[in-house]
Amino acid sequence: MKSQARVVIIGGGVAGTSALYHLAQRGWTDCMLLEMDELTSGSTWHAAGNIPTFSSSRNIIKLQHYSTQLYARLCDDPLYPINYHQTGSIRLAQTRQRMEEFRHVSAMANTLGLEYEILDTAEMKARHPFLQDHELLGALWDPVDGDIDPSQLTQALAAHARKAGASIHRFTRVTGISRMANGEWKIATDKGDVIAEYVVNAGGYRGAEVARLGGRFLPLVTMEHQYLVTESIPELEATEGLLPLVRDPDDSYYLRQEKTGLILGPYEMKATARWKDGGIPEKFAYELYPDDLDRLEWYIEKACERMPILGSVGVQRVINGPIPYTPDGAPYIGPAFGLPNFFHVTGFSFGICQGGGAGKSIAEWIIDGKPEWDLWNLDPRRYTDYADQDYVVDRAIELYQHEYAINYPVEERPAGRPRKVSPCYDRLQAKGARFGARGGWERATWFAREQDTAEESPSYQHGVWFDAVGQECRNVRDNVGLLDLSGFSRFELKGEGASDWLNTMIAGRLPGIGRVGLSYFCAESGGVWSEMTVTRLAAEHYWLISAAAAKWHDSQWLTDHLPAQGGITVSDISDEHGTLVVAGPRSRDVLQTLTDTDLSNEAFRWLTCQPLELAGIQVQALRVNYVGELGWELHVPAARQLALYDALMEAGSAHDMQDFGMYAMESMRLEKSYRAWKVDLDHEYSPLRSGLDRFVDLNKTSFIGKESLLQEAAAGLPDVFATFVLDKADVAGDDAERINATDALYGCPVHRGDELVGYITSGGFGHRIGQSLALGYIRPELAVPGTAVEINVLGHRRSATVVAESPYDPDNKALRDQGR
């Protein structure tokens, strides 16, 4: 075994071998894979091997579709035979909501080159004659779904990587990982040490164990997943070819043909986590857990009702094996926080269908500094220090129980909460606040009124919160509202040279002393990497404020780019302060009663900051907000936040001040066309395409991404950001009310006639203007106010119109306090 390699990959399942394969295909052949046992001996060998492309995420669809295309190419090589069956699949719908999900995902997927179909029950039975159609409303057809032999796939990836020059060492256990003084990594094994520039954790259910060797905690737990294989079924023996794979998400199981028998794999409510304390037996290769069919009994009965031939034979064998779960069930693909040149590609609960795309993406992270697709929802840094082992166990169990649940636009699941709360949490809860977790922080989403007695139930349609949120928005518009927005990621930048350095990091101009500016940090490709509010406190002293969820992502971007020498420091001060937002035309009236400082327009201008004393409490006040009204963000030491909240509420009682929550803020930011990071903005889109030209100064000497932006500006933009207003749907019958109570969703296609011309990134109802709104991207020649388009919402084309940016108060008169 060599003592040095450019990249060392730890773990020899499908993810590890795919990473090795893709690095080698890119010409990085000085790469080594270390596997403690035999290839595939973790979760890969016992995986059912299903290959769906279905997802509620555009980029996960792309990732999984890439896997199917790669696997088809690998199968063309006769030297490495792979049993790969593209049988197509049928997803069953027993509810109207499920059919709505299918229509939404089908419309989104088909814009990406897939050919999904919505089937009625007759079409379903024509493709699968053994299915019963009781209680079914329809189905979704995915023509490229199917199954593959996981072991053959892994061996083929490994063989191609070896052929290209990469090396694989089986039965080589990693015992330690340490960073050397020169920045390289030393990987200690039972066969000797290896020095590497990069480390990739592909440890599967041992991924957290590998991370611990490197000195970091990774939120990961192992779940049991059982599936059973039947004896041979006479009807299948007599059937030519293979039947389509079947998924019944409402009864939570998959069912597919395996030779002349069937495989049944449920995701049961009695979900079972193993090794919950993180300790895994030293030896568990090619091993399974004892069978436990009792907890599958209900699912077996439901599957037999759906396909009676399943119950006509006995069970040949039961597979009950370990699969890793993250808190949200999505894998980790990307950089490890706090470990330079250390990457994760682990935690896959659907590793076979995602393995090909995952290997491609992690190779791009290493070689290019980012993947082709923005995979923030798979980035390991999406979980920060709040996600401990108890959290991941609670969340993984909940997720496993809801594996086939619909991904609604609004749903606040309770497991693992609360983790982080502001000092105002109990006060808000006593006032009827309903909460949701944002970056681990509990934030009030809406405030239930006395008449709001119905239980919250997730839906595509407006929820029980809709009217209350509307009242919150209108009160902010007409009077004044107070929002606890604690949890911001907050970094303090200071030191000689801080301004010059920051000027090379952001695309726009630095704010002056005492001023506040919205700034965009670009990747070298020109895409939007981070969005931060830059507050300049002194010549070389700044606060950089970003989303709660961005804490580790943005911290790493800043520290990775700090000069090696010099006195510039970046400190994470996120937990030292809370934030209260006072917004509305009467906000100045409330604040002025608590301070002697002049808060007039002349004394405290828009987009400026000042230290204030409010009710005897020192705060840093920023005259900015995310709702588009006169208002201030008040950044207050956490220990004094509750006292400030109470003082504001007391002073506000004379001005009709009311609390408002995150759902109201979301509604109001849509009315202002304010983009949301990793929703409307990501690294695939530059500030120019995102309509943020006013935040870009291409005349600056240099900044990260400038050359790419200059090239893009010269070449022309393929699409640009736009705001849409949706008309009421022209639909008859009982569907009309449901459709008109549904706003545009992420991923909805935008059409003009028969042409696909764009897609939606976010949507909702603007309560201040009384209209359904959407934000998204469209071809430049159509991004003109008045352009008529159609937006596919849950399978129905809704007429919509492109409107000028900021349909509410387009001249920012409210923000500037210049009337309306």
Side-chain angles (χ1 to χ4, degrees):
M1 185 172 75
K2 294 192 306 180
S3 62
Q4 194 150 1
R6 192 172 191 183
V7 182
V8 167
I9 299 167
I10 303 169
V14 67
T17 54
S18 180
L20 189 71
Y21 167 88
H22 283 90
L23 286 166
Q25 292 298 308
R26 292 284 302 272
W28 282 43
T29 56
D30 184 16
C31 300
M32 177 187 297
L33 186 148
L34 305 176
E35 164 56 47
M36 66 184 294
D37 203 274
E38 182 56 87
L39 297 182
T40 79
S41 60
S43 292
T44 299
W45 74 274
H46 64 74
N50 302 331
I51 312 292
T53 59
F54 185 94
S55 174
S56 58
S57 162
R58 278 172 54 91
N59 282 350
I60 291 180
I61 290 175
K62 293 177 188 176
L63 182 146
Q64 293 176 169
H65 189 202
Y66 171 84
S67 292
T68 67
Q69 295 170 318
L70 170 65
Y71 300 165
R73 292 197 302 271
L74 290 173
C75 287
D76 289 339
D77 189 339
L79 294 177
Y80 309 106
I82 304 174
N83 291 323
Y84 183 22
H85 312 116
Q86 284 193 325
T87 60
S89 71
I90 298 171
R91 284 179 183 262
L92 309 178
Q94 299 184 36
T95 67
R96 181 180 278 187
Q97 293 273 30
R98 186 67 70 179
M99 284 300 296
E100 289 172 340
E101 177 197 33
F102 288 174
R103 292 189 184 104
H104 171 57
V105 174
S106 178
M108 180 170 58
N110 289 348
T111 66
L112 301 175
L114 290 138
E115 297 179 351
Y116 286 7
E117 297 176 46
I118 300 297
L119 308 179
D120 61 27
T121 54
E123 293 168 322
M124 176 200 75
K125 293 193 73 170
R127 301 189 191 204
H128 200 307
F130 299 111
L131 282 176
Q132 300 298 304
D133 62 3
H134 58 275
E135 299 177 344
L136 293 183
L137 300 182
L140 180 141
W141 171 256
D142 176 356
V144 298
D145 202 343
D147 65 274
I148 196 167
D149 185 305
S151 295
Q152 292 177 340
L153 169 63
T154 303
Q155 295 295 345
L157 289 166
H160 282 283
R162 285 193 191 99
K163 187 176 179 181
S167 62
I168 297 175
H169 299 275
R170 299 169 299 151
F171 304 102
T172 303
R173 188 181 189 93
V174 174
T175 58
I177 305 171
S178 57
R179 194 154 185 255
M180 302 168 64
N182 65 357
E184 292 184 310
W185 290 97
K186 181 170 75 172
I187 300 92
T189 81
D190 56 3
K191 304 287 180 62
D193 295 344
V194 183
I195 307 302
E197 186 178 352
Y198 300 91
V199 175
V200 178
N201 172 14
Y205 63 75
R206 292 187 182 273
E209 186 178 283
V210 174
R212 276 197 303 275
L213 291 175
R216 300 294 300 189
F217 173 78
L218 187 67
L220 199 65
V221 70
T222 301
M223 302 293 294
E224 290 187 16
H225 177 58
Q226 293 186 95
Y227 64 87
L228 58 87
V229 185
T230 73
E231 298 170 342
S232 182
I233 299 172
E235 288 87 343
L236 296 185
E237 293 172 3
T239 300
E240 200 169 311
L242 294 173
L243 294 169
L245 190 153
V246 174
R247 292 185 182 83
D248 191 337
D250 294 312
D251 284 339
S252 194
Y253 64 80
Y254 58 84
L255 189 60
R256 73 164 173 84
Q257 187 171 345
E258 175 71 4
K259 298 181 180 177
T260 56
L262 290 169
I263 283 179
L264 170 64
Y267 289 91
E268 70 276 16
M269 287 302 292
K270 295 181 180 178
T272 303
R274 286 280 187 155
W275 310 318
K276 289 186 281 190
D277 62 356
I280 301 175
E282 185 172 331
K283 179 69 174 176
F284 202 78
Y286 289 120
E287 293 195 38
L288 299 171
Y289 305 122
D291 305 347
D292 188 3
L293 287 181
D294 288 347
R295 69 176 197 247
L296 304 187
E297 183 177 353
W298 183 88
Y299 304 89
I300 295 171
E301 290 176 359
K302 300 300 286 186
C304 288
E305 292 171 9
R306 185 65 63 200
M307 195 187 301
I309 62 171
L310 174 67
S312 67
V313 295
V315 174
Q316 183 183 84
R317 68 183 187 276
V318 177
I319 305 296
N320 186 13
I323 55 173
Y325 263 73
T326 65
D328 58 8
Y332 295 127
I333 304 174
F337 177 70
L339 302 175
N341 290 344
F342 193 116
F343 295 84
H344 296 301
V345 58
T346 191
F348 293 86
S349 49
F350 293 92
I352 308 306
C353 71
Q354 294 174 345
K360 170 184 182 293
S361 297
I362 205 66
E364 290 166 347
W365 264 117
I366 294 168
I367 298 171
D368 304 324
K370 64 175 183 60
E372 174 186 356
W373 314 303
D374 192 299
L375 298 176
W376 169 243
N377 54 344
L378 310 182
D379 194 301
R381 298 166 297 180
R382 68 188 186 271
Y383 290 108
T384 61
D385 52 1
Y386 66 89
D388 60 16
Q389 193 65 22
D390 288 341
Y391 176 84
V392 68
V393 171
D394 290 347
R395 294 281 292 176
I397 289 172
E398 179 188 65
L399 189 282
Y400 186 96
Q401 294 168 335
H402 296 83
E403 188 60 70
Y404 284 123
I406 296 170
N407 186 24
Y408 291 111
V410 172
E411 184 176 11
E412 313 292 350
R413 291 185 184 168
R417 296 172 46 203
R419 305 307 291 181
K420 288 189 170 186
V421 300
S422 89
C424 301
Y425 178 80
D426 291 337
R427 187 80 83 245
L428 299 179
Q429 190 172 50
K431 295 172 74 173
R434 302 293 186 263
F435 291 92
R438 304 293 185 268
W441 284 88
E442 293 295 316
R443 287 181 175 168
T445 52
W446 66 288
F447 288 81
R449 304 161 299 177
E450 286 186 9
Q451 65 267 39
D452 297 320
T453 57
E455 289 294 319
E456 288 188 70
S457 178
S459 169
Y460 285 116
Q461 287 71 44
H462 299 151
V464 298
W465 40 264
F466 183 76
D467 289 339
V469 169
Q471 184 178 13
E472 292 172 22
C473 293
R474 290 186 291 274
N475 189 67
V476 171
R477 177 194 66 192
D478 300 334
N479 299 301
V480 57
L482 180 58
L483 171 67
D484 179 358
L485 200 54
S486 296
F488 275 128
S489 300
R490 188 181 288 101
F491 306 99
E492 186 173 41
L493 168 67
K494 57 185 179 179
E496 188 66 32
S499 295
D500 288 342
W501 174 78
L502 183 59
N503 197 39
T504 68
M505 295 290 291
I506 63 174
R509 293 180 290 276
L510 291 174
I513 297 172
R515 295 195 63 83
V516 179
L518 189 61
S519 295
Y520 291 92
F521 296 70
C522 295
E524 288 288 357
S525 63
V528 174
W529 197 260
S530 294
E531 176 191 66
M532 300 189 202
T533 299
V534 175
T535 301
R536 191 169 190 176
L537 304 174
E540 302 284 10
H541 187 191
Y542 298 84
W543 273 7
L544 310 177
I545 302 172
S546 63
K551 182 177 178 179
W552 281 2
H553 175 280
D554 289 352
S555 172
Q556 195 151 342
W557 185 252
L558 294 170
T559 56
D560 283 355
H561 288 86
L562 280 176
Q565 305 294 327
I568 303 173
T569 61
V570 173
S571 305
D572 183 348
I573 58 171
S574 304
D575 293 341
E576 296 178 12
H577 295 77
T579 304
L580 297 174
V581 177
V582 181
R586 303 173 75 178
S587 57
R588 179 183 287 115
D589 299 333
V590 174
L591 295 179
Q592 196 67 77
T593 64
L594 300 175
T595 182
D596 294 330
T597 302
D598 183 0
L599 302 180
S600 66
N601 269 347
E602 295 72 22
F604 203 142
R605 301 177 65 82
W606 182 44
L607 298 179
T608 64
C609 66
Q610 292 184 33
L612 284 184
E613 184 177 294
L614 294 172
I617 300 168
Q618 293 293 328
V619 304
Q620 187 65 244
L622 281 58
R623 196 175 153 191
V624 295
N625 62 72
Y626 200 45
V627 302
E629 300 285 355
L630 171 68
W632 281 261
E633 283 183 4
L634 306 175
H635 297 264
V636 55
R640 303 304 310 278
Q641 183 177 348
L642 181 57
L644 179 61
Y645 173 87
D646 288 340
L648 288 166
M649 270 296 167
E650 183 178 353
S653 62
H655 301 281
D656 295 314
M657 175 182 272
Q658 295 177 15
D659 296 287
F660 69 100
M662 300 297 290
Y663 295 169
M665 187 179 79
E666 173 69 6
S667 169
M668 290 185 279
R669 74 98 183 168
L670 289 170
E671 293 173 313
K672 293 296 294 177
S673 303
Y674 292 162
R675 289 70 157 162
W677 181 74
K678 295 303 182 188
V679 178
D680 308 301
L681 304 173
D682 63 36
H683 78 233
E684 295 181 49
Y685 285 83
S686 73
L688 304 183
R689 290 174 71 182
S690 302
L692 299 170
D693 314 51
R694 62 192 182 277
F695 299 104
V696 177
D697 181 5
L698 291 175
N699 294 316
K700 285 172 57 172
T701 303
S702 69
F703 62 88
I704 296 173
K706 178 183 175 181
E707 291 306 314
S708 296
L709 292 178
L710 287 169
Q711 293 172 18
E712 183 179 73
L717 306 175
D719 53 11
V720 294
F721 187 84
T723 303
F724 307 85
V725 170
L726 281 72
D727 298 336
K728 286 191 175 295
D730 185 17
V731 179
D734 62 354
D735 273 347
E737 184 176 349
R738 293 178 67 85
I739 294 167
N740 286 316
T742 306
D743 298 307
L745 305 166
Y746 161 83
C748 287
V750 180
H751 297 272
R752 186 168 168 85
D754 294 331
E755 280 190 280
L756 174 70
V757 296
Y759 80 100
I760 299 304
T761 51
S762 59
F765 193 83
H767 288 278
R768 291 179 296 190
I769 63 173
Q771 292 180 297
S772 184
L773 298 166
L775 307 179
Y777 290 83
I778 193 170
R779 293 201 320 232
E781 68 272 18
L782 300 177
V784 179
T787 300
V789 296
E790 292 179 308
I791 300 174
N792 189 317
V793 182
L794 303 183
H796 299 275
R797 288 198 180 186
R798 293 269 300 272
S799 296
T801 305
V802 177
V803 297
E805 186 150 313
S806 187
Y808 175 75
D809 186 27
D811 297 323
N812 286 330
K813 290 182 178 179
L815 277 168
R816 299 173 185 270
D817 192 26
Q818 295 175 343
R820 296 173 191 254

